[in-house]
Amino acid sequence: MKEILRIEKLNKIFHEPEDFQVLKDISFSINKGEFVTITGKSGCGKSTLLYLLSTLDTEYDGKIFINDTLITGSSQNELARFRNKSIGFVFQFHFLLPEFTALQNVMIPALRLGKYNEKEIKDRAYEKLKQMGMETFAEKLSSKLSGGQQQRVAIARALINEPALIMADEPTGNLDTANTQNVFDIFKELTSVNGQTIIAVSHDEDFARNSGRIIHMVDGQIETN
Ligand SMILES: Nc1ncnc2c1ncn2[C@@H]1O[C@H](COP(=O)(O)OP(=O)(O)OP(=O)(O)O)[C@@H](O)[C@H]1O
Ligand SMILES: [Mg+2]
């Protein structure tokens, strides 16, 4: 199996309000097509780790390689371009643009990528919303959607550019059983059929157990992986 992500001795310290080492010497690698769940108690550092892996946070010690390329130390411009093309990120708190409709929110990363024309992007965005069972809400402002609906729009947005790596922070945290199962099934298919790679944080034991691999964190360290 081809390695897609490797991290070596990641350390992260927050300095406010006082020095606090949140990640301690974390190393592991993930292969293309893996479906990985990061688990661990609230506050153990899961979101912090995911931000580092996604290149959104560049304040750390250690090395991150994606596709055998050292990402650590790249300029913010390079990282932004790389992220938009290769990483789909689902935030723990969604971060949709409130004054935009669900459809417009999903279209944004694709418009930025500029690979397809606007009509094609609209069609693709609509397809992604449909996959999430959100097609009837396409024209609704995202600020008028429920938490779970926003979460599903955020997942559609992360998938629009068909990124090699999908990182999702508690993607099913606000979803009912049926929608959780739908998201899980879609993730499974993206990894097994398309060869995309998923790294998800989840507190849902079934979700974690049924994914391909669990990386369990305790107090900023990897306990099992
Ligand atoms: N910007 C920050 N400044 C200072 N401390 C922070 C900051 N962000 C997070 N922390 C601290 O780092 C630790 C890990 O936070 P993190 O958000 O990674 O936890 P988590 O495992 O994702 O938890 P949860 O399951 O509740 O989402 C916590 O103790 C938190 O208080
Ligand atoms: Mg978190």
Side-chain angles (χ1 to χ4, degrees), residues 34-71:
E34 273 198 286
F35 182 172
V36 180
T37 308
I38 301 175
T39 59
K41 285 199 180 127
S42 178
C44 72
K46 304 179 298 296
S47 294
T48 306
L49 175 62
L50 210 61
Y51 275 116
L52 260 53
L53 301 183
S54 73
T55 80
L56 284 162
D57 181 358
T58 53
E59 299 287 308
Y60 59 87
D61 286 325
K63 288 179 180 158
I64 300 178
F65 296 86
I66 298 181
N67 278 328
D68 288 326
T69 305
L70 179 65
I71 295 298

Side-chain angles (χ1 to χ4, degrees), residues 87-98:
I87 300 180
F89 200 91
V90 183
F91 294 91
Q92 192 167 2
F93 304 105
H94 320 322
F95 297 124
L96 298 174
L97 296 177

Side-chain angles (χ1 to χ4, degrees), residues 101-104 106-108 110-111 116-130 138-139 160:
T101 66
L103 190 72
Q104 287 168 331
V106 177
M107 289 172 69
I108 290 168
L111 291 169
Y116 301 101
N117 70 40
E118 196 165 336
K119 165 82 174 73
E120 286 168 321
I121 290 171
K122 205 166 184 172
D123 291 346
R124 296 168 80 89
Y126 189 78
E127 273 312 302
K128 295 293 178 212
L129 282 175
K130 202 166 163 189
E139 303 300 339
I160 185 84

Side-chain angles (χ1 to χ4, degrees), residues 12 90 99 109 159:
K12 164 97 188 164
V90 183
E99 298 308 315
L159 301 183

Side-chain angles (χ1 to χ4, degrees), residues 12 14-18 20-23 40-51 92-93 169-170 201 203 217:
K12 164 97 188 164
F14 284 119
H15 297 288
E16 297 292 332
E18 59 206 314
F20 171 64
Q21 182 158 8
V22 55
L23 300 178
K41 285 199 180 127
S42 178
C44 72
K46 304 179 298 296
S47 294
T48 306
L49 175 62
L50 210 61
Y51 275 116
Q92 192 167 2
F93 304 105
D169 200 346
E170 303 194 25
V201 169
H203 285 285
M217 292 179 69

